[in-house]
Amino acid sequence: MCRKTEGDSPSEKFWYRCPIENDNSDYAAFRKDLQEPCPSVFLADLATPIELEFVLKIPVATVVGDLFFEMLDRAGNIENLDRATVPTDEIVLMTALAQTVVRGSTMKPDSTYDPVLLQPRDQPVDRSGIAIGGEMRVLRNLLKSHGLLGSQKNRETRFQCLGFSQSCRGASCEQFFDFEHRCSHISLQLSLAAFVLQACRTAVSCFFISQMVTLSMISKLPVLLIAFGFGFASATERPNIVLLLTDDQTVYSLGCYGNEDVKTPHIDQLAADGMVFDHHYNTTAICMASRATIFTGLFEYRHGCNFGRGPILRDTWEKSYPVLLRRAGYRTAIAGKIGIEVAETLDSKGTLPIDDFDVWVAGPGQTSYSTAKNPSMAKYSKKYPHSTLSYGAFGRDFILESAATDSPFCLSISFKAPHMPATPDPRFDDAYAGKAFRKPDNFGRKLGEHFSEQSRQGRQYARFHDWGYADRYDEVMAIYHQQVHAIDVAVGMIRKSLEEANVADETFIVFTSDNGFLCGSHGYGSKVLPYEESSKAPLILYRPGHDNSGKNLRSSSLTGNVDLHPTLLELAGIPIPPEIDGLSLLPLYDQPTRSIRERLPLINVWGPEAVHSLSIVTKDWKFVRWPYDQKGFQPTEELFFLREDPLELKNEILNPDHNSALGQMRKRYLDEIETWSREGVPFRGYPSEAKKFRP
């Protein structure tokens, strides 16, 4: 039953609080007994805003506002507004109310929906990890850029927007819009920000709105109907997004990562303009699985996609960043090697998701370095016969076309380079002619003797000789770096087109790779293995107009490819699905010295079983377990103290001085196996892989 709340706040005078965390509550029975307005009900009972308004007897915006300010009052100040002071049921309530307002009559009266996920509630939903993440950030920056925040007058002003029956109770407008900056791990997934934004647009010089906004008026707000049906920003406030993905690019192929032998001026400038991430890992260091992780924000054992395993399932793909951005009104395009396919069911054949993009110029499989052999890119073949620059040309055309529309855009370009077989663009043959390159300080077989025998059972070990690292290093690396140099030129083409289209200041750029590459380090070639050169990749983010842009800043926080998906969603104002593994990187752009995660798994269940491994990496340590125990092999463990030994030159597994660290890393390893067993996909052999990794 509902109980009437006691107190003096306006909200406490007109609503009853109902415990909604119990999924077994009989809300239908409660509805019949309803004597007073009570918003604490599931959307299954309140099918439309009109019905909701009828039950509440007041506009929903007022309920959301009052509830927020009641939370604020209870917390004491905005900095204390976190999970400790916001009960889960109230988070769910506010989310449900805001979603109902924005979705309007699209809710089906007879359907049962979960108020957080807006999905059929077939089973109880664990709300303990409800993400509350960055809806206020873009709004805050927008208001600040228009001079609406920052003045002493505004800081001292209390406000009462859209008929909220309480003021902010001591919190200034700037504090309100800045609270997400200080509590970036908490976000109220509401349309409240959209209401305030609209109010501030119509107000000339202050935040006061005197008239009450009805539901019919709210429904006409330029609110983004995003993935789950609610949001905060109209198209003009959401940044454009350009994601540039290379294939098999080692970190030390770029000047901004310390290699003085290479020529990458455009990427280095992007790094200077934005932020470089020095501890960025691909949680599976092979193309297909890594790309699936980038698209979905899920570890491999949660999306179930890899070579020899199968394509992404449609239900998983529907929550990928391209699908969610497009559903949110973004104009989307993808070019190059997409690297995945999508299947409707486990038993169906995978196909390319062509219809899920507004513009498709990607290709199947590995694609080709010859532009003419990529059918969707053939029109660029005469001027740009090598595919790398053709993608730059396509990017230019898409940007210019999109800038002429009213929609924000998301351009995803996946370069084939510098993937083997090495095929450089001949127009850059002079870039490194006769060049001698410094070898990495962990180069050669002797510096890999301490690695496990299992690590030598795959093709990575043979490729040290087969691909010429052992005896033709300068020649091989000149070709490799020439391919990266062409990517750099394409990056310059894309950035120039952003300037030409007058959208450079509105476009967020990501530059990264699907995995690293072992160019002779420790006597190995290629990728897949959990060692640094294979699993780490470059990551550069650039956010125009941000206070930290243009300062040559770097972040040493632990990050992963799994984090790109939620980062792009937060940028677009799209609520981050609570079930994903990734975390938004935007808090690191605000505070480069902070951390967002303690550990990441490094997974390999591809290739010969002997080279299968599961690793745990933190900022300071890496623990690797090789479970293969057949044909005379024994399970092997490795421990590397990355803070002091970033080149992994010493296995500390037997060093008694590090017993404490070893114990902690083993515990994290076991925790990861438990998570895999509990949350991993129940198909394609992943459950048995989890068992295999148990000690």
Side-chain angles (χ1 to χ4, degrees), residues 412-489:
S412 301
I413 293 183
S414 180
F415 298 97
K416 179 176 175 62
H419 193 283
M420 287 288 194
T423 311
D425 189 334
R427 74 176 67 197
F428 303 117
D429 281 349
D430 294 337
Y432 297 109
K435 178 74 174 178
F437 296 91
R438 176 180 172 178
K439 295 176 181 177
D441 291 339
N442 58 5
F443 180 86
R445 285 275 166 88
K446 187 170 183 58
L447 297 180
E449 291 177 349
H450 58 296
F451 284 176
S452 74
E453 284 295 327
Q454 286 93 330
S455 72
R456 303 187 184 104
Q457 305 311 303
R459 62 190 189 185
Q460 298 78 21
Y461 191 68
R463 284 176 171 175
F464 177 69
H465 288 285
D466 293 348
W467 283 355
Y469 298 113
D471 54 2
R472 296 184 292 109
Y473 184 80
D474 290 337
E475 175 190 343
V476 171
M477 294 309 296
I479 295 173
Y480 183 86
H481 290 309
Q482 182 176 336
Q483 292 177 284
V484 175
H485 177 69
I487 294 171
D488 183 81
V489 174

Side-chain angles (χ1 to χ4, degrees), residues 604-667:
N604 180 47
V605 290
W606 177 86
E609 188 174 0
V611 297
H612 289 194
S613 66
L614 177 63
S615 309
I616 299 297
V617 63
T618 70
K619 185 178 175 181
D620 293 334
W621 294 92
K622 182 187 292 181
F623 174 81
V624 184
R625 181 171 175 84
W626 306 86
Y628 186 71
D629 60 359
Q630 302 175 34
K631 299 180 180 180
F633 284 85
Q634 295 295 321
T636 303
E637 294 179 340
E638 297 169 329
L639 181 70
F640 300 102
F641 192 8
L642 298 178
R643 188 176 68 203
E644 294 186 358
D645 179 25
L647 297 177
E648 298 174 312
L649 295 175
K650 185 177 181 182
N651 182 5
E652 304 284 0
I653 199 72
L654 299 178
N655 187 341
D657 293 339
H658 297 313
N659 282 345
S660 176
L662 176 60
Q664 293 175 0
M665 293 301 289
R666 281 175 171 162
K667 182 181 184 304

Side-chain angles (χ1 to χ4, degrees), residues 356-419:
D356 293 325
F357 294 84
D358 293 298
V359 181
W360 171 277
V361 291
Q366 295 291 342
T367 67
S368 176
Y369 279 118
S370 171
T371 306
K373 294 181 180 179
N374 297 321
S376 59
M377 294 292 294
K379 71 175 184 178
Y380 296 99
S381 62
K382 185 175 181 180
K383 188 172 183 179
Y384 302 105
H386 191 280
S387 68
T388 299
L389 293 192
S390 76
Y391 297 132
F394 165 76
R396 175 195 61 210
D397 292 347
F398 177 80
I399 289 167
L400 293 174
E401 292 169 3
S402 299
T405 72
D406 294 330
S407 300
F409 62 82
C410 176
L411 169 63
S412 301
I413 293 183
S414 180
F415 298 97
K416 179 176 175 62
H419 193 283

Side-chain angles (χ1 to χ4, degrees), residues 269-347:
Q269 185 60 55
L270 180 67
D273 294 339
M275 189 172 294
V276 176
F277 292 78
D278 287 319
H279 291 85
H280 181 71
Y281 291 85
N282 287 286
T283 54
T284 300
I286 193 169
C287 310
M288 187 175 182
S290 179
R291 289 159 191 265
T293 293
I294 291 171
F295 280 128
T296 65
L298 299 171
F299 298 138
E300 181 189 346
Y301 63 73
R302 302 225 26 236
H303 60 62
C305 174
N306 201 350
F307 298 111
R309 301 283 172 173
I312 295 179
L313 293 184
R314 170 57 63 178
D315 288 346
T316 301
W317 176 252
E318 285 297 311
K319 297 177 185 178
S320 65
Y321 83 80
V323 172
L324 295 183
L325 287 171
R326 191 184 188 206
R327 192 179 299 161
Y330 272 73
R331 184 172 189 253
T332 61
I334 188 163
K337 173 185 169 181
I338 187 171
I340 57 94
E341 291 183 339
V342 178
E344 298 299 321
T345 67
L346 276 172
D347 298 328

